[in-house]
């Protein structure tokens, strides 16, 4: 009798499973325009950085502005295409961007 119940429960479990086609709720091509990779294009961000210190339970908040510029396209030794991204920071809206950017690839 136990074997019969085991087989019956297994059949019920397997028949309850069905595969549905998942349709995304958004257009898949939308993300290609999220960060345009065009030379000399840039995006400006207003950043709020919050640092939590667990040792003394302190919180430090820093606010600044960030500009990311796609400066050029380069090719590495493996023949991969890389984009040179320059990141500039300034402390407030009225100040100038720093003179020495951080460079990312």
């Amino acid at each position: 009798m136990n074997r019969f119940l085991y087989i019956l429960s297994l059949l019920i479990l397997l028949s309850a499973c069905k595969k549905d086609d998942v349709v995304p709720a958004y257009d898949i091509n939308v993300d290609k325009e999220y960060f345009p990779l065009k030379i000399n294009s840039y995006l400006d961000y207003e950043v709020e950085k919050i640092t939590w210190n667990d040792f003394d339970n302190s919180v430090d908040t820093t606010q600044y502005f960030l500009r990311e510029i796609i400066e050029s396209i380069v090719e590495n030794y493996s023949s991969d295409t890389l984009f040179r991204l320059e990141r500039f920071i300034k402390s407030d809206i009225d100040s100038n961007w720093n003179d020495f950017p951080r460079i990312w690839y």
Side-chain angles (χ1 to χ4, degrees), residues 36-81:
L37 295 176
K38 297 177 188 169
I39 303 302
N40 293 326
S41 65
Y42 67 89
L43 290 174
D44 291 337
Y45 301 96
E46 184 175 357
V47 178
E48 182 176 68
K49 178 181 173 183
I50 301 173
T51 305
W52 299 81
N53 188 341
D54 287 336
F55 294 112
D56 61 1
N57 292 325
S58 65
V59 178
D60 184 27
T61 303
T62 308
Q63 296 177 336
Y64 58 93
F65 293 88
L66 171 69
R67 175 174 281 180
E68 294 184 338
I69 301 174
I70 305 293
E71 196 273 328
S72 62
I73 298 174
V74 293
E75 193 173 288
N76 67 2
Y77 296 114
S78 301
S79 298
D80 294 327
T81 301

Side-chain angles (χ1 to χ4, degrees), residues 3 13-14 22 28-29 37 83 97 99:
R3 187 173 183 162
L13 180 66
L14 291 176
V22 177
I28 294 175
N29 294 325
L37 295 176
F83 291 88
W97 296 104
D99 292 333

Side-chain angles (χ1 to χ4, degrees), residues 4-52:
F4 174 73
L5 289 176
Y6 177 73
I7 293 173
L8 181 64
S9 63
L10 185 61
L11 289 175
I12 291 172
L13 180 66
L14 291 176
S15 66
C17 298
K18 88 177 179 183
K19 182 178 178 181
D20 291 335
D21 291 334
V22 177
V23 179
Y26 57 89
D27 184 11
I28 294 175
N29 294 325
V30 171
D31 63 340
K32 292 182 180 177
E33 306 225 357
Y34 178 73
F35 194 84
L37 295 176
K38 297 177 188 169
I39 303 302
N40 293 326
S41 65
Y42 67 89
L43 290 174
D44 291 337
Y45 301 96
E46 184 175 357
V47 178
E48 182 176 68
K49 178 181 173 183
I50 301 173
T51 305
W52 299 81

